[in-house]
Amino acid sequence: MPLGKTNMIRKPFPSELEYFKKNPNVSGMATEDNAVILNPYSPLSEREKQAVAQNEMVRVLIRTGKVPKPNFSLTKEQKDFLGTTSYKNAKEEDRLATIAARLFSGDPTSGVGTQEQKDYIRLLRTEMERIK
């Protein structure tokens, strides 16, 4: 989903800018008000920032029920990866959403998607085209 076709992205609030300045490794996030913000202090390229924005948009759309929630199995590789992140003890729906969002945006940390996961991503792309 091209960034220009959504109003989900907003500028960070001052408190969010303060957080981002202290944490340049956090490239962006889905906020509690269901918006997407990007870190202006991030060293990522514009292409990489677009991938981060897509990733976070998927999370918002899943959270708000605008697209179907993922309901697939995680691979051992994906479980192992999530065990090294802040998603280690997260609810399963959040773990699935992060893998789905990463697969959608092409983030290699998602691991190799299973056929079930690829089918979900195809469904997600179709649903996102519908709600543009």
Side-chain angles (χ1 to χ4, degrees), residues 1-9 29-30 34-38 49-64 66-67 101 104 124 128 131:
M1 173 181 290
L3 296 181
K5 295 200 175 188
T6 181
N7 60 358
M8 293 174 66
I9 298 177
M29 64 178 67
N34 295 322
V36 172
I37 56 175
L38 297 175
K49 287 179 184 179
Q50 182 161 353
V52 168
Q54 286 180 340
N55 179 310
E56 300 302 338
M57 283 181 215
V58 168
R59 293 171 195 265
V60 170
L61 293 172
I62 291 171
R63 180 192 313 155
T64 58
K66 293 183 179 175
V67 297
F104 181 88
L124 190 58
M128 289 178 76
I131 62 174

Side-chain angles (χ1 to χ4, degrees), residues 9-24:
I9 298 177
R10 68 162 170 78
K11 292 185 180 198
F13 297 141
S15 61
E16 294 163 338
L17 280 173
E18 186 176 319
Y19 171 80
F20 279 151
K21 191 170 192 174
K22 292 177 184 174
N23 297 280

Side-chain angles (χ1 to χ4, degrees), residues 27-104:
S27 305
M29 64 178 67
T31 63
E32 290 181 14
D33 63 346
N34 295 322
V36 172
I37 56 175
L38 297 175
N39 186 345
Y41 305 104
S42 170
L44 297 181
S45 69
E46 284 307 309
R47 183 171 179 238
E48 291 167 323
K49 287 179 184 179
Q50 182 161 353
V52 168
Q54 286 180 340
N55 179 310
E56 300 302 338
M57 283 181 215
V58 168
R59 293 171 195 265
V60 170
L61 293 172
I62 291 171
R63 180 192 313 155
T64 58
K66 293 183 179 175
V67 297
K69 293 190 182 309
N71 186 20
F72 50 70
S73 299
L74 296 174
T75 66
K76 180 182 180 328
E77 176 188 31
Q78 291 164 337
K79 289 177 186 176
D80 290 348
F81 165 71
L82 291 171
T84 67
T85 71
S86 61
Y87 290 95
K88 180 178 185 173
N89 298 314
K91 295 184 290 185
E92 190 65 9
E93 65 188 58
D94 293 335
R95 291 166 58 87
L96 293 176
T98 196
I99 293 299
R102 290 169 188 233
L103 285 167
F104 181 88

